[in-house]
């Protein structure tokens, strides 16, 4: 396992290669537009960015958008990165731009995974979410192409009020499609995403518990984003199970910043958070802690990504859980969880505030109350 020092290098870099997209998703964090921005990174600037990313201990690289397929040199950039030995994935929109020929091209280039968004088990749910009639059926058609090409498939699903009651059906569909991973995003109210579409704190907790049980039997891997408190739930459940089997164990032993030894979800060996193991580069080169935390900390046209990542005061702050405010700042899980910094910012305006959709009361607060 590679040594991971998130103060120096991220585990994953997301590059929004273009903001152009033909869909009108109700949750779009980018508020995507029909045409590419005139100042998006050029091919030469993109190549330099890839070189800079590679020098940061070769993190995972994801091309996203908008719709990354609307970038003409997408596969040229991917080919360059893959030949350097980088792990590259793409997350295009399911539109007419995704042809069987382009999928075959992606396979020949050597892309490690193709991610499609599917936000409901029925056309009614998915098409409403994507703002485009026919998107559900088109997505399934594109997925069939990938299956024919034997290309690893990842399904991305944003969980919100729109599909909360259909998660069992959604899981069944994901299993039917024989995907490699179900990548689940919990809605952050930024861009077009609305606060009233987010799950309540209790609903978040219920979904986390459901995912924990699902992961025991599902034939696909499960990964969550903007759901840092899912790690806390997994550790709690693992701890309870061990206590039943072996008797009382030292609860504090379950609190570690190498959460993967407990959760088994095949994610980063250390939990990532906005600006902490995770970094986002926009279509015009702006660097942000994540696409869901739209605070610009630099621009790769002016400064190398590694220098921005290592030197930004905002990113340094985000990488110090002891500086978190409210209950997150005293929570015994702050080093493995830390709450979603992007959601804290979206709801409160303070990226260091407590995760607003977490039901857990930290031990320190419970002890203080019991002493009063």
């Amino acid at each position: 396992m590679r040594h991971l020092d998130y103060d120096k290098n991220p585990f994953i870099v997301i590059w929004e290669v273009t903001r152009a997209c033909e869909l009108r998703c109700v949750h779009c964090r980018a508020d995507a537009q029909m045409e590419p921005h005139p100042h998006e990174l050029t091919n030469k600037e993109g190549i330099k960015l890839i070189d800079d990313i590679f020098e940061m201990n070769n993190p995972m690289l994801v091309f996203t958008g908008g719709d990354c397929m609307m970038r003409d040199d997408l596969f040229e950039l991917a080919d360059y990165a893959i030949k350097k030995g980088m792990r590259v994935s793409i997350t295009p929109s399911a539109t007419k731009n995704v042809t069987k020929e382009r999928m075959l091209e992606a396979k020949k280039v050597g892309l490690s995974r193709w991610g499609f968004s599917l936000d409901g088990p029925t056309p009614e749910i998915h098409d409403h979410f994507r703002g485009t009639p026919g998107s559900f059926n088109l997505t399934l058609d594109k997925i069939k192409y990938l299956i024919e090409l034997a290309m690893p498939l990842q399904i991305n699903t944003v969980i919100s009020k729109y599909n909360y009651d259909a998660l069992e059906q959604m899981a069944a569909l994901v299993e039917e499609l024989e995907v490699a991973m179900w990548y689940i995003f919990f809605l952050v109210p930024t861009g077009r995403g609305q606060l009233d579409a987010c799950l309540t704190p209790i609903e978040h907790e219920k979904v986390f518990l459901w995912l924990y049980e699902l992961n025991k039997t599902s034939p696909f891997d499960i990964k969550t984003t903007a759901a840092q408190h899912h790690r806390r739930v997994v550790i709690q459940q693992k701890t309870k199970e061990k206590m039943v089997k072996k008797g009382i164990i030292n609860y504090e032993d379950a609190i570690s910043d190498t959460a993967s030894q407990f959760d088994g979800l095949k994610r980063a060996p250390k939990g990532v958070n906005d600006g902490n193991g995770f970094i986002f580069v926009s279509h015009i080169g702006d660097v942000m802690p994540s696409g869901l935390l739209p605070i610009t900390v630099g621009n790769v046209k002016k400064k190398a990504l590694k220098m921005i990542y290592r030197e930004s005061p905002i990113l340094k702050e985000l990488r110090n859980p002891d500086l978190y405010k409210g209950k997150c700042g005293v929570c015994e899980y702050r080093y493995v969880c830390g709450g979603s910094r992007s959601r804290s910012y979206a709801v409160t305006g303070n990226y260091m505030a407590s995760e607003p959709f977490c039901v857990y009361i930290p031990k320190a607060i419970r002890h203080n109350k019991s002493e009063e």
Side-chain angles (χ1 to χ4, degrees), residues 244-301:
V244 170
K245 288 183 178 180
K246 301 180 180 179
I248 302 299
I249 65 171
N250 182 353
Y251 187 77
E252 299 301 324
D253 287 344
I255 311 303
S256 161
D257 76 349
T258 54
S260 62
Q261 63 185 290
F262 297 100
D263 66 23
L265 297 184
K266 298 184 180 180
R267 62 179 74 197
K270 286 174 59 179
V272 302
N273 208 326
D274 305 286
N276 187 11
F278 188 106
I279 201 70
F280 176 90
V281 182
S282 83
H283 59 302
I284 58 174
D286 286 337
V287 179
M288 305 174 190
S290 79
L292 299 170
L293 208 176
I295 297 176
T296 300
V297 297
N299 189 288
V300 297
K301 293 182 180 181

Side-chain angles (χ1 to χ4, degrees), residues 116-307:
F116 270 133
S117 291
L118 199 58
D119 297 298
T122 65
E124 290 76 18
I125 297 174
H126 176 83
D127 290 358
H128 169 75
F129 208 70
R130 291 285 152 183
T132 306
S135 177
F136 178 82
N137 291 328
L138 183 61
T139 300
L140 291 185
D141 287 342
K142 304 303 182 184
I143 288 173
K144 290 176 183 176
Y145 288 162
L146 283 179
I147 292 173
E148 289 178 20
L149 294 172
M151 187 146 179
L153 170 65
Q154 170 181 311
I155 292 295
N156 303 327
T157 301
V158 177
I159 293 183
S160 69
K161 293 287 189 181
Y162 297 111
N163 55 12
Y164 174 69
D165 293 326
L167 294 181
E168 292 281 1
Q169 292 173 266
M170 190 66 210
L173 177 57
V174 171
E175 181 172 351
E176 180 184 332
L177 294 174
E178 299 182 354
V179 305
M181 177 178 286
W182 192 15
Y183 204 142
I184 299 173
F185 299 76
F186 285 76
L187 183 64
V188 173
T190 189
R192 295 185 196 141
Q194 299 298 308
L195 183 60
D196 60 6
C198 294
L199 302 186
T200 66
I202 292 176
E203 287 170 341
H204 274 82
E205 197 80 356
K206 288 181 177 179
V207 175
F208 295 154
L209 290 168
W210 174 73
L211 288 174
Y212 176 77
E213 295 300 326
L214 177 65
N215 188 62
K216 293 179 179 179
T217 59
S218 65
F220 46 82
D221 292 331
I222 300 172
K223 184 177 180 182
T224 56
T225 288
Q228 282 75 10
H229 37 328
H230 179 219
R231 287 184 174 273
R232 183 259 307 161
V233 169
V234 169
I235 292 173
Q236 287 177 311
Q237 295 305 110
K238 288 283 188 181
T239 301
K240 288 178 182 178
E241 290 174 1
K242 288 180 180 178
M243 290 174 72
V244 170
K245 288 183 178 180
K246 301 180 180 179
I248 302 299
I249 65 171
N250 182 353
Y251 187 77
E252 299 301 324
D253 287 344
I255 311 303
S256 161
D257 76 349
T258 54
S260 62
Q261 63 185 290
F262 297 100
D263 66 23
L265 297 184
K266 298 184 180 180
R267 62 179 74 197
K270 286 174 59 179
V272 302
N273 208 326
D274 305 286
N276 187 11
F278 188 106
I279 201 70
F280 176 90
V281 182
S282 83
H283 59 302
I284 58 174
D286 286 337
V287 179
M288 305 174 190
S290 79
L292 299 170
L293 208 176
I295 297 176
T296 300
V297 297
N299 189 288
V300 297
K301 293 182 180 181
K302 301 177 181 178
K303 192 174 185 179
L305 180 62
K306 64 182 178 182
M307 302 311 295

